[in-house]
Every structure is written in C-alpha cells, then in structure tokens.
Amino acid sequence: MKNLIYINVRRVLFLSLGITFFYSCERDLSEDVQFATFPVNGDIFTDNPVGLTDQFFDSFDPATGANPEGFDRDDEVAFEGSASIRIDVPAPDDPDGGFIGGIFLDRGDGRDLTGFDALTFYVKGSTTATIGEVGFGTDFGENKFAVTANNIRLSTDWRKIIIPIPDPSKLVQERGMFFFSAGTQSTNGFGFTFWIDELRFERLGTIGQSRPSILGGNDSRFPTTVGESLTIGQLQQTFNLGSGINQTVIPAPSYFDFKSSDPNVAFVNELGEVTVINTGTTEITASIAGVLAAGRISVESSETAQIISIFSDLFADIPVDNFNGFFLPDGQTTLGGVIEEDGNNIIDYTMLNFVAIEFYGRDNSGIPPVDATEMTLLNLEIRVNENIDSGDFINIQLQNAVGAPNASIGTFQIPGSSLIANEWVEFQIPLTSFSGLAARNAIGQLFFVSDGTISNISVDNIFFSAE
Amino acid sequence: MGSKVLILGMFLLFLGCENDDAQTVARFTTLVWEDNFDVDGAPDPNRWGFDLGDGTEQGIPGWGNDELQYYTDRPENVTVQNGFLLITVRQEDFNGAEFTSARLTTQGLFERAYGRFEARIRVPFGQGYWPAFWLLGNNCDENPWPACGEIDIMENVGDEPTIVFGSVHGPGYSGGDSIGKDYELTDDRFDTGFHVFGIEWSPEFINYYVDGDLYQSITPEDIDEETDGEGQWIFDRPFYIILNVAVGGNLPGPPNDETVFPQTMLVDYVRVYEQ
C-alpha cells in the first residue's frame, strides 16, 4: 500500500516538473527561476518580538494544566537594550494552571535557518531553579524538526544559553522559533521568575564534535516475526560548545537518517518506525549530517520468534501487578521500583535482599499470569550499582501457579563473577535452566534474590523469547 | 609591556588595512627541513625519535607535571597514514598507567637556532587533553630545564577548544611564570579542522602566529621587563622539535567522565625555514 502511494507521488512530481519546464520556455522565465527561499533573519526577541505572530506567546493548552497568564514583556529588566521577556513559573496548585510553557511562531511562512548553528539567549532567574525544557522547531503542527534541551540551570545573574541545531541544512523553512516549558520541580513547588533576552538564532562557529546516539547508545537485539514493528527511541545528540562544556539536545527523528542494512527484512521510515516484512536479520543504524549515531539494533525476524515482554524499551509490555511486591511481613528490605534515568525507564532496587515483579492477578487485579510454555529464554539486563565482592550472587527465580497447590519455583543463580560493577550486563537464560520449575503455563512472579550480598541493582529489558 | 602591545596592535591594524586583511606573519621563506608525512607506517626514523615511558627513567615521573600517560612508539599510538601523522591517545592499562600516547622529537636528528618553525595540526578535545608543538634547548642534559630553555609554539587544553597559547620558559620565568599569550578563535575551533601554528625566531624576537594572524612578539627586552631583570634570554642555541599529546597533569587537570577516548592529534606537516 505504502509503495503504491509512493509511486503515485513520484508520478505527480514528474508531471509537475514537466509543466514547470514548459511554462519556463513559453514565458522565458528561466533566468529568473529560483527556488522559493524564506527570510534568513535570526532575531526572535531583542527589545520586542521580531517577526513573530501577533499573540507572540502561544501557550500550551490550559486544559493540560498550562498557565497562560505568567508571560509578559518586562520594561524594567534587560540584559541589553530596554526590555526582556518575563516568565512567572506558577506553583503546582495555581488556579490558572500549575506550569507554564508554549511556543513562539514566525508570523510568516517560516524562516531559512540553514545559515545558523544554534539558538542562543541570555537568561537569569529570581532563584537558582532549572527550566525543564527549552528548544525550537515546535510549531504545534507536525513538530517535524523539534529540538529540546532539558534542565537549563538558572543563575541569579545573566547567563548565555546555547542550544545547538542538530543539522541546520534541514531548516529551510521553520516556523517554530522558540519553545519552553517550566514548572517548580526544582524549587519544591515554590514559584519563581526568569527573564529571557536577546533571543536569536546565531552562527557561532564554535560548536563542534556532534555525537548523535539512538537507543541510549546501546547495541540491542529485537527478536521478532513478520508484521511486527518498533520505533527507534532515545534519540540524543551531544555537542561540545566553545566553552568546552558538552550540551545534549533531543532532536526530532526527522533530523536522523535511519538505515536498514537489509530493507527486504525490515524497512525504516524517516520517523524511525521499523516495519518487519520478511524473515532474516537486518541492522538498523542512524546518522545525523553524516555522523553515525552510537547505538544500533539487530532485527532478527523468524517464523517462530515470539516475545512476552515484562519490562522493556522496545516491546509492548504486558500489564503487571507491581514491580516491587513489598513482602514486608516476610522480611523484605528491598526498596525501589521503576524510575527514569536519562530519559529511559529502568527498575532500580536498593537495600536488596529479595524482591519480586508480580503479574498473576494479586488482590484480584485480574492481571493474567504468563503462559511461557512456548518460550525458551528469559532475557534481562542487570547493572550492579556497587562494588562486587567474592561470594556475591543474584538468584533469578520464577514462580508458576502462584498461590495454587501445584505452585513451583525455579531458580537460576547468577554469580558475582558474571556481573560488572556499574555496567549493564545482558543475560539470556534458557527456561530449562530454572531448576525446580515444574511448569511454565502460568508464571506469575519474577524474583531477584541476593540475600543481602548485593544491595543495589538496576534491571531493564526483561522479556521471554522463543527462537 | 602594555605600551608595546598597544604599538604592536596598531601596527597590525595598519597592515590589515594595507594588505586587504592579508597580514604578513612570516618573512623566512627558505625551506631547510620538513616532514609532510607522505609515507605510511612508522614516522621517518631519520627525522623523528621517541621519548618513551612515563618520565621515571628520565628522572621526572609524570614528565615533571604529574601527567598520566605512558608514551610508546607502538602503531596504536603513533603512525603515519594518508599524509598525516597520527598521535592517538588511548585509555588502557599499560605499565601501571591508565593512558597511552606518543611523544616525537627531533633530538639528535635536527636541531637548530633561529628560523621559522611551523606545523599544520588538528587537536583532540575534552577535559584532560594537552596537545603540544614545542621546542626544547638541546643542552638540557648538562643544563637542566628551565635553564636550557623551552619555546612552546602551540599548546592547548582540551576543555578550551577555541584557545591555544604560545610561550617561552627559561631561568626565572618557567612553569606558571612563563611568558606568553593566549590566542582565541571567536568563530571556529581548533579540534574540528586544521590550523597553522608557527613562530619566527631570530636573535631579536620570537614572533607567534596562528593561520594568518601574528598575535605575539617576545623580545629579550620583554623578558627583562617581565622578570624585573632577573630572567635571561637564552634562545641563542640549537633547539629541537617535539610533538606530543599529554593527558592530565597540573595544567589541564585529569580527564572526566565525559572525555572521549581514544582521540587523535593529526599533523599535516612540520616545516622549518630560514631567512
């Protein structure tokens, strides 16, 4: 279907080229024919908005909790000239909305930003809070070339912020001039004010060393079957600024050139969406402006491959009861659960002696256990967040038919020597290696047991697979 | 010193106008020595030797600056490829050090007083890197540093990608008290492309330039003034050339979690001219 549409588009293009050509001949316009270009002005706000829409600030929808009232021009405060933008970040319980954010849009059809390499501005805060997100390219439309930088640290004096453009050659017609979103996460709910001045796109020349990454920079596997799909995520790009400081941005997928080493197995579109169309193996990589991104994924498509994912970045996860059963009466000390780390969800446990992820319908939740009869492997990644001593271990346990008379528990021991302190280690454990597991038609608990030999671990990408 | 800089500045301004922004940065044009790194493999042994180890053997562990690298002559650390000399810094356990790199010298192979010493280089980047193109007096064995003299044509610390500095060290003005100056690019970097670093050295001056910009002139009078008459101009004897990338130490500080390894300093050519 997709192919057909594509062919049609090409035909239309071919036809229209022909028309243009004829038109040019007849009316003798060839010498004047130029590609449409858009204004190259980089200024966004100096003492006044420059070339922006009349409303200047387009707030996020107040229905989402955005506060449209806290935005104004301030004639008393300026880094340069006579005025700045003043943004009052509301407390979470403010009746007008608990955070502030929105965009500035070019009032015309967009600007040609290909000659610039960064969005820059001066900012100062009433306190040393952080602004959650700033960026550009968000136009409340396609947001095709959106760029975000997180956690901009404010000083109580003016400071210049530099947000590099991932690949300026893409920005031939951009309307999204500025984007920000700020709440009081960094100030314990106390509102604060920050000012922005001299907001513009610039060509600095001092930004270098582009280092894009996908999938957190990791090399991953995606065992799958025909018809499945996945979206390449965790897109980042780190630049080194002229000051020597690294600045990381989150570029929209359209800045990346995604590539499949064998498009006959799976193809990938400009949004990083991978569609598996045949059996075989293909490697998905990406680059920005010719710089290969760290991280890749091997798509391994077979007739029989099946996945049941408990907690992973790539697959649709099954519903679970919890990621920490808190068996306190049984002497569990383990704390923790799902947390976000570098934009990626992981499970983090501290004070580990034992802990379980549960998915059997605890407290009549209705969540079904996993029928893993057809599965052959348990896949998971473990990072020990402390030094590993001799005698340390983690027992992985699966319980089938939780709470039933025929319940059985199988154990697989990972010795400390197979783990690496502060580094992710990937395991693929044959389900036949779980000694004691009498059946696997209704697996409902996955335990991590260290008996206190290892106290702090993170786990991620837990799934059953059959190959 | 202040007034001299001002006079020099005016002079440069003048030149800039007269010559349509093409400054005359060097006048010595007779080539006497060069390596364009045209032959792949190990550097030409008739031109280059190596300082090896961590300085312990030389009696200066950490090369006198608490540097962290162990210098080798392995192809992993130094090789010539596609017309460039590559000095590559690696993070690896090696003879008790955490990093390996290379340091090439022309000691005993090419040593001379005066001339124009020039190289075209791209440096690495990141906290802890300390690449350099410099000259050392050829009598340091009998007349220990700083008495034997050091002329730093280009030094850079990796956390300042837009800045290089040129300086001289001698008796009474060495280490942190050396005499020199920064040169900053305002719209470019030293780690993303090649730049030409040079000095023109005569009995009366050492002039420093980067690309087409003459940015510093050090004279015997400057040394006299800067050191209140204590320092001595000792740049009247043969010196030899050194190319190296150090890691850590007193000047750049140690690498951090964000420093990228391995990285390579590329040298396109080294040339020496006389008047």
Side-chain angles (χ1 to χ4, degrees):
Chain A
M1 198 60 190
K2 206 147 211 173
N3 273 334
L4 282 176
I5 291 166
Y6 185 52
I7 288 164
N8 282 338
V9 168
R10 275 206 298 207
R11 275 202 188 125
V12 170
L13 274 179
F14 186 68
L15 204 63
S16 59
L17 278 175
I19 290 166
T20 311
F21 180 69
F22 271 93
Y23 185 74
S24 310
C25 288
E26 299 230 324
R27 302 287 297 269
D28 198 29
L29 277 176
S30 60
E31 281 177 17
D32 296 325
V33 166
Q34 287 177 345
F35 289 107
T37 55
F38 298 90
V40 295
N41 185 8
D43 286 348
I44 303 165
F45 180 93
T46 51
D47 283 334
N48 285 294
V50 181
L52 302 180
T53 52
D54 286 341
Q55 63 259 51
F56 181 8
F57 170 63
D58 285 357
S59 174
F60 291 127
D61 188 348
T64 65
N67 185 327
E69 306 299 327
F71 183 91
D72 211 347
R73 203 182 71 161
D74 191 330
D75 292 328
E76 308 291 318
V77 178
F79 171 76
E80 210 171 271
S82 60
S84 66
I85 295 164
R86 174 182 169 131
I87 294 159
D88 291 299
V89 182
D93 58 355
D94 191 300
D96 289 333
F99 75 100
I100 184 162
I103 62 170
F104 300 175
L105 272 182
D106 179 62
R107 73 180 299 131
D109 293 329
R111 301 190 198 175
D112 178 354
L113 303 178
T114 56
F116 302 108
D117 59 14
L119 172 79
T120 71
F121 56 93
Y122 288 85
V123 66
K124 80 166 183 174
S126 58
T127 184
T128 55
T130 59
I131 310 174
E133 295 181 314
V134 301
F136 56 89
T138 300
D139 57 9
F140 287 172
E142 221 182 329
N143 301 332
K144 189 173 179 185
F145 292 115
V147 175
T148 306
N150 290 334
N151 298 325
I152 301 301
R153 166 62 74 177
L154 294 173
S155 158
T156 51
D157 196 4
W158 291 102
R159 163 180 293 179
K160 186 170 186 177
I161 303 296
I162 296 170
I163 313 296
I165 301 177
D167 176 3
S169 71
K170 303 270 189 189
L171 302 184
V172 292
Q173 185 190 1
E174 181 55 56
R175 285 199 77 204
M177 296 289 103
F178 186 59
F179 153 82
F180 72 92
S181 179
T184 53
Q185 291 87 347
S186 66
T187 52
N188 283 322
F190 286 97
F192 62 95
T193 300
F194 64 95
W195 292 265
I196 288 174
D197 199 5
E198 303 303 311
L199 175 64
R200 57 170 58 90
F201 291 98
E202 278 192 87
R203 194 205 163 273
L204 296 172
T206 54
I207 299 171
Q209 305 291 356
S210 156
R211 281 164 290 153
S213 69
I214 60 172
L215 302 160
N218 297 313
D219 292 355
S220 319
R221 293 172 59 244
F222 185 69
T224 187
T225 50
V226 174
E228 294 293 315
S229 63
L230 80 151
T231 301
I232 305 294
Q234 290 179 266
L235 309 180
Q236 287 196 337
Q237 187 183 23
T238 300
F239 288 92
N240 193 251
L241 306 182
S243 60
I245 291 170
N246 285 330
Q247 175 66 54
T248 297
V249 297
I250 301 167
S254 292
Y255 283 105
F256 287 82
D257 295 314
F258 295 97
K259 195 179 156 212
S260 170
S261 65
D262 188 349
N264 294 316
V265 174
F267 63 83
V268 55
N269 69 11
E270 65 163 27
L271 298 176
E273 295 162 353
V274 180
T275 306
V276 182
I277 53 172
N278 221 326
T279 57
T281 299
T282 183
E283 198 150 80
I284 310 292
T285 53
S287 58
I288 294 183
V291 181
L292 185 66
R296 61 184 61 213
I297 188 160
S298 174
V299 175
E300 299 160 12
S301 165
S302 63
E303 300 287 354
T304 57
Q306 285 179 292
I307 299 291
I308 299 173
S309 174
I310 310 289
F311 180 83
S312 73
D313 303 328
L314 297 168
F315 309 108
D317 297 335
I318 60 162
V320 300
D321 289 316
N322 57 63
F323 291 101
N324 184 342
F326 285 110
F327 307 119
L328 303 182
D330 299 325
Q332 179 184 328
T333 58
T334 313
L335 301 177
V338 176
I339 63 162
E340 193 188 306
E341 181 181 83
D342 299 334
N344 171 30
N345 285 331
I346 62 169
I347 300 169
D348 205 56
Y349 294 126
T350 58
M351 293 180 65
L352 176 69
N353 57 348
F354 64 90
V355 69
I357 301 171
E358 300 185 286
F359 37 96
Y360 66 90
R362 181 169 160 169
D363 304 328
N364 299 314
S365 68
I367 285 172
V370 168
D371 181 353
T373 314
E374 301 292 319
M375 299 288 126
T376 57
L377 296 173
L378 174 66
N379 305 260
L380 54 87
E381 292 175 34
I382 300 178
R383 185 183 65 195
V384 176
N385 302 318
E386 62 185 42
N387 290 329
I388 298 166
D389 305 314
S390 68
D392 283 1
F393 66 88
I394 296 173
N395 282 341
I396 310 296
Q397 295 184 327
L398 294 171
Q399 175 152 211
N400 200 61
V402 178
N406 62 340
S408 66
I409 291 184
T411 302
F412 179 86
Q413 181 160 88
I414 297 174
S417 56
S418 298
L419 296 160
I420 304 173
N422 303 311
E423 278 186 38
W424 289 103
V425 182
E426 188 178 334
F427 295 93
Q428 291 175 286
I429 309 167
L431 292 177
T432 51
S433 301
F434 284 86
S435 56
L437 193 63
R440 49 178 195 258
N441 64 324
I443 294 176
Q445 287 176 324
L446 169 61
F447 279 91
F448 300 91
V449 182
S450 74
D451 290 346
T453 60
I454 293 173
S455 299
N456 300 294
I457 65 168
S458 302
V459 291
D460 198 3
N461 293 319
I462 308 164
F463 57 93
F464 297 101
S465 63
E467 285 164 12
Chain B
M1 186 68 186
S3 61
K4 274 216 175 67
V5 168
L6 190 64
I7 290 164
L8 185 69
M10 289 164 64
F11 174 66
L12 294 183
L13 195 65
F14 236 97
L15 266 183
C17 297
E18 295 264 306
N19 295 351
D20 195 17
D21 285 346
Q23 201 183 49
T24 302
V25 296
R27 293 187 177 77
F28 301 179
T29 52
T30 308
L31 191 65
V32 292
W33 187 93
E34 68 177 330
D35 194 343
N36 293 306
F37 304 108
D38 289 333
V39 181
D40 283 4
D44 179 0
N46 296 315
R47 291 185 173 100
W48 301 101
F50 296 95
D51 287 335
L52 301 174
D54 64 0
T56 306
E57 209 172 288
Q58 290 78 1
I60 42 171
W63 300 100
N65 300 298
D66 290 331
E67 296 164 28
L68 303 175
Q69 78 288 342
Y70 193 100
Y71 287 129
T72 88
D73 58 0
R74 303 174 305 162
E76 294 97 310
N77 293 115
V78 55
T79 188
V80 174
Q81 269 178 29
N82 305 317
F84 300 104
L85 170 70
L86 280 61
I87 299 179
T88 300
V89 178
R90 296 180 184 277
Q91 185 168 31
E92 56 181 336
D93 289 329
F94 195 89
N95 288 354
E98 199 188 337
F99 304 95
T100 57
S101 181
R103 171 159 145 168
L104 290 75
T105 95
T106 63
Q107 186 174 19
L109 299 169
F110 175 76
E111 302 174 346
R112 68 171 282 135
Y114 314 130
R116 171 179 157 205
F117 294 74
E118 182 181 282
R120 187 166 178 267
I121 295 173
R122 195 189 82 187
V123 300
F125 85 104
Q127 166 72 39
Y129 280 105
W130 182 7
F133 167 43
W134 50 299
L135 310 181
L136 204 51
N138 73 343
N139 62 337
C140 288
D141 289 342
E142 314 90 69
N143 196 14
W145 189 92
C148 56
E150 172 180 331
I151 302 172
D152 298 322
I153 302 170
M154 182 284 291
E155 291 185 274
N156 160 264
V157 288
D159 59 338
E160 295 179 351
T162 62
I163 296 172
V164 292
F165 38 99
S167 51
V168 293
H169 301 251
Y173 52 100
S174 65
D177 296 322
S178 63
I179 297 169
K181 198 175 166 190
D182 286 356
Y183 178 82
E184 180 168 7
L185 294 173
T186 54
D187 60 356
D188 198 359
R189 302 163 60 98
F190 290 108
D191 61 332
T192 51
F194 283 90
H195 295 271
V196 175
F197 306 97
I199 58 162
E200 204 158 62
W201 167 27
S202 83
E204 292 85 35
F205 59 82
I206 303 173
N207 285 348
Y208 285 78
Y209 59 92
V210 173
D211 300 322
D213 278 346
L214 186 63
Y215 72 96
Q216 170 175 232
S217 180
I218 298 174
T219 65
E221 293 74 36
D222 291 331
I223 287 170
D224 198 53
E225 280 176 32
E226 288 278 317
T227 61
D228 293 330
E230 299 293 312
Q232 233 185 307
W233 173 271
I234 33 90
F235 306 102
D236 293 312
R237 59 170 304 111
F239 278 55
Y240 59 87
I241 302 168
I242 303 177
L243 287 166
N244 73 300
V245 184
V247 181
N250 300 334
L251 188 68
N256 60 24
D257 289 348
E258 296 184 345
T259 309
V260 177
F261 293 98
Q263 274 191 77
T264 299
M265 175 165 95
L266 298 175
V267 185
D268 184 16
Y269 64 74
V270 182
R271 289 174 190 156
V272 181
Y273 303 83
E274 65 183 9
Q275 202 154 10

